[in-house]
Amino acid sequence: MFRLVVTSEGLKGTSHELKVDRTTIGRVEDNTFQIPEASISSHHCEVLRSGAEVVIKDLDSTNGSFINGEKITQSPLKPGQTLRLGQVELQLIEGEGAPVPAPATPAPAPKPPAAPVADQTMVMKRGVSLSELEQGPVAGFDTTSTAFSKKTNQVNRWFIIGGAIIGAAILIVIVVVAFSMK
């Protein structure tokens, strides 16, 4: 008897026994083996079992099906090989009651001792309280400075003056033309 076992973190140990000749794997409930994970397509692949052979057939999934890192459309899966569907890894186990394999993880490399870091914590004065605002301007804040005063826009002033002169000239031309036609 064959069994597919999930070895990825978060779903580790989830398994499905391949009892029938055709098993569908996907994210939605109508699959024979549902794996609710975002990187798995709604109908990701199917597992075809014929005697002692297990074949994986990708169902045009978005993130693909891979056996031992190689992308497949249809390929046999042997016991111990890693099947990756999207971001989820599974292994094919043969035999009933076979132990669920732990994913192979390399031992972490020892970290070099960290150099002592001087404490660079700074104490910041808290913000202004409501009672300080009610007392008036904060000491040291210059409210007479022109750095934040409203600036006049010289361009707008000249634009308005120029527009008025042109408008007056047009009006004079219209009046002169009107009187000369009489």
Side-chain angles (χ1 to χ4, degrees):
M1 186 60 63
F2 292 105
R3 182 167 47 141
L4 278 172
V5 180
V6 179
T7 58
S8 296
E9 289 300 319
L11 298 168
K12 191 178 201 177
T14 304
S15 68
H16 182 80
E17 204 165 310
L18 303 176
K19 296 179 181 178
V20 293
D21 292 342
R22 182 179 173 271
T23 301
T24 58
I25 301 175
R27 190 179 66 246
V28 295
E29 292 176 1
D30 66 348
N31 288 285
T32 314
F33 184 18
Q34 180 190 10
I35 303 175
E37 208 280 331
S39 68
I40 293 187
S41 294
S42 55
H43 298 96
H44 199 98
C45 70
E46 61 184 4
V47 181
L48 306 170
R49 191 178 60 105
S50 175
E53 185 175 63
V54 175
V55 175
I56 306 298
K57 180 180 179 187
D58 187 80
L59 299 175
D60 295 323
S61 62
T62 303
N63 294 317
S65 299
F66 299 81
I67 294 178
N68 288 344
E70 301 227 5
K71 187 169 184 162
I72 57 114
T73 52
Q74 184 169 334
S75 180
L77 178 66
K78 307 256 185 264
Q81 287 185 319
T82 300
L83 169 64
R84 182 168 53 88
L85 309 174
Q87 297 298 314
V88 177
E89 290 190 348
L90 304 97
Q91 272 196 339
L92 180 65
I93 305 297
E94 186 175 15
E96 291 185 36
V100 175
T105 55
K111 295 180 181 179
V117 177
D119 186 9
Q120 297 177 347
T121 304
M122 294 176 60
V123 177
M124 303 292 286
K125 181 180 185 275
R126 64 175 180 80
V128 179
S129 70
L130 184 58
S131 62
E132 290 174 326
L133 285 175
E134 291 170 349
Q135 293 173 3
V138 178
F141 187 74
D142 182 11
T143 58
T144 61
S145 171
T146 59
F148 296 109
S149 64
K150 183 176 179 184
K151 296 183 180 183
T152 59
N153 191 340
Q154 294 294 327
V155 174
N156 282 345
R157 182 179 296 162
W158 287 111
F159 182 74
I160 292 170
I161 292 170
I165 291 172
I166 292 172
I170 291 173
L171 187 60
I172 291 172
V173 169
I174 291 173
V175 171
V176 169
V177 169
F179 279 114
S180 67
M181 292 178 91
K182 285 186 175 188

